[in-house]
Amino acid sequence: MATSRVFLTPLSAEFPASNFPALSVVNQRPVLAFDTTTAEACQWTFAAPQGLAGALSAIIHLFGNAAGTAGVVFSVALEAITPGDAVDLDSASSFDTVNTSASTAMPATQGHQTSFSVTLTNADSIAAGDYVRISLARVPSDGGDTFAADAYVTLVELREA
Amino acid sequence: MAIRFDASSEYLDCNVSIPAWDACTIMAWVYIVNDRATFSYILQWTNVGATAGNFCGINASRQLFVEQSSLVTGTTLSVGTWYHIALVSGPTNATVYLNGVQDSQTSSASFTPVVTMWGGAGGWVDARMSALKVFAAELTAAQVLQEMRTVRPSGRVACHAFYPCRILEYADLTGNGRTLTPSGSLTVEDGPPVSWGATPLWVTNPSTARKWLLGAH
């Protein structure tokens, strides 16, 4: 049985200086609004839980700012720093290759929630106790991202197989 | 999200329980949308009739200024960029901080403050603002920098009033009842790249948790 490990919420997201999803509130629900044309990304920081041993996946929960069944595509990248790693935190990032989702059809009715899983094949050799950053980005340049409205991410769950 | 001021006499103000002239900090994240090429007030607290007070804004050349006993200009702001701006008043100086760094300063002078304001009535600013905070204290540079990092107050210094301005909500989220009064037809637009300040939710070692729940030792 898969095990939930970390829950990443909009209110705990961190943002780059540009091209970031808007931290918004929709019907009193905090959301991250990912644009339909600009590639926007945000990050979260956590320590890799103890006992981490299995493969990880990111479950992304979202709803759309429009009706229709067009698709969205997201990518997830991990940066896992073990004490002693040769990464200069002052000046460099060390994210592994992005893991890109398939195109996921949004619900036909605006406001209805859906979710999809991104297998974190490229997990930067994450190990228990690592200092980890995870980056979530929408990929509007992907041919499968045809949803012509904001995608409202409500929650990201890290799950261990 | 952020609240947008885009017309004359669009602003937010509060006239409830205003801090003393010599111990007050007012701040916000600010994004200039259009250059009006004229004086535009961003932050201020004033007496009745605004004949005296502490003022912060941009001049016709978009230079950030502080005004109290005199007007002193600082950095030229760009259109389309988010800045954190704080106006800090103490018994000696009134200081403007830009992104946590002192930008301009002038000498203080006493007055009887009756209102805090974001935006302006006559010299209005075409801008978005978010994460509005008020402190009944002259914050230090380090404290201003700390408050800049998150939308919500850090909790290190008692917050006098807090208005996240994610939507058209005007309640003071400190619970002190210092509600904002909006003027004009305000709207909501995208906000600054600033974390709310919460932390991810964890699940600790699930096998241990299950043993505890089952009463195992």
Side-chain angles (χ1 to χ4, degrees):
Chain A
M1 182 181 71
T3 303
S4 298
R5 292 307 228 137
V6 186
F7 301 106
L8 308 172
T9 63
L11 296 186
S12 59
E14 302 152 8
F15 303 97
S18 61
N19 298 332
F20 52 90
L23 175 59
S24 185
V25 174
V26 177
N27 190 25
Q28 299 183 352
R29 305 176 194 280
V31 301
L32 294 165
F34 284 85
D35 192 70
T36 180
T37 53
T38 303
E40 296 176 335
C42 65
Q43 299 169 355
W44 289 269
T45 299
F46 57 92
Q50 292 300 304
L52 193 68
L56 286 177
S57 56
I59 316 303
I60 299 167
H61 300 255
L62 72 168
F63 65 98
N65 191 27
T69 56
V72 293
V73 176
F74 277 79
S75 68
V76 180
L78 282 180
E79 176 194 70
I81 309 289
T82 303
D85 279 357
V87 178
D88 186 347
L89 301 185
D90 282 340
S91 57
S93 293
S94 180
F95 283 94
D96 203 345
T97 304
V98 298
N99 305 278
T100 304
S101 74
S103 175
T104 297
M106 295 296 283
T109 303
Q110 180 176 350
H112 284 192
Q113 170 141 312
T114 187
S115 67
F116 61 93
S117 178
V118 181
T119 301
L120 302 183
T121 304
N122 307 307
D124 204 27
S125 303
I126 187 173
D130 279 354
Y131 157 64
V132 181
R133 291 194 299 168
I134 182 169
S135 176
L136 174 69
R138 185 173 175 184
V139 192
S141 62
D142 190 292
D145 193 304
T146 54
F147 184 65
D150 282 357
Y152 293 146
V153 171
T154 54
L155 177 68
V156 177
E157 173 196 350
L158 286 192
R159 203 177 279 179
E160 180 183 0
Chain B
M1 303 306 284
I3 288 184
R4 170 76 186 279
F5 310 101
D6 66 357
S8 179
S9 293
E10 287 195 345
Y11 55 86
L12 292 167
D13 71 7
C14 175
N15 57 12
V16 176
S17 183
I18 307 304
W21 70 272
D22 57 352
C24 183
T25 299
I26 175 173
M27 60 176 63
W29 276 89
V30 180
Y31 178 105
I32 307 298
V33 179
N34 292 300
D35 183 1
R36 296 187 58 233
T38 186
F39 266 76
S40 302
Y41 290 104
I42 296 174
L43 308 171
Q44 53 185 301
W45 64 90
T46 74
N47 63 355
V48 175
T51 57
N54 283 344
F55 303 88
C56 163
I58 51 174
N59 63 13
S61 302
R62 291 196 321 278
Q63 290 176 300
L64 188 62
F65 68 79
V66 60
E67 182 178 16
Q68 224 278 7
S69 56
S70 63
L71 189 149
V72 178
T73 58
T75 301
T76 300
L77 302 188
S78 299
V79 171
T81 299
W82 279 104
Y83 297 98
H84 185 263
I85 298 175
L87 177 57
V88 180
S89 181
T92 305
N93 293 310
T95 307
V96 165
Y97 289 86
L98 179 64
N99 293 336
V101 177
Q102 180 174 320
D103 194 66
S104 57
Q105 188 176 77
T106 185
S107 300
S108 289
S110 67
F111 66 98
T112 304
V114 297
V115 65
T116 51
M117 183 183 289
W118 291 261
W124 63 278
V125 65
D126 192 339
R128 305 172 193 164
M129 295 196 199
S130 184
L132 282 51
K133 302 176 192 175
V134 181
F135 300 86
E138 180 187 14
L139 295 197
T140 64
Q143 290 167 335
V144 170
L145 190 60
Q146 190 160 48
E147 293 301 330
M148 168 186 155
R149 300 299 184 201
T150 56
V151 171
R152 68 178 187 178
S154 71
R156 298 296 188 271
V157 179
C159 188
H160 187 77
F162 166 48
Y163 319 98
C165 292
R166 298 166 299 169
I167 56 177
L168 296 179
E169 58 184 5
Y170 306 113
D172 167 17
L173 295 195
T174 65
N176 290 321
R178 294 159 183 146
T179 304
L180 287 175
T181 300
S183 178
S185 300
L186 306 180
T187 54
V188 172
E189 295 185 356
D190 285 349
V194 183
S195 174
W196 178 265
T199 53
L201 304 176
W202 283 61
V203 175
T204 54
N205 190 327
S207 61
T208 303
R210 278 200 294 275
K211 290 177 183 174
W212 181 82
L213 289 169
L214 293 170
H217 299 281

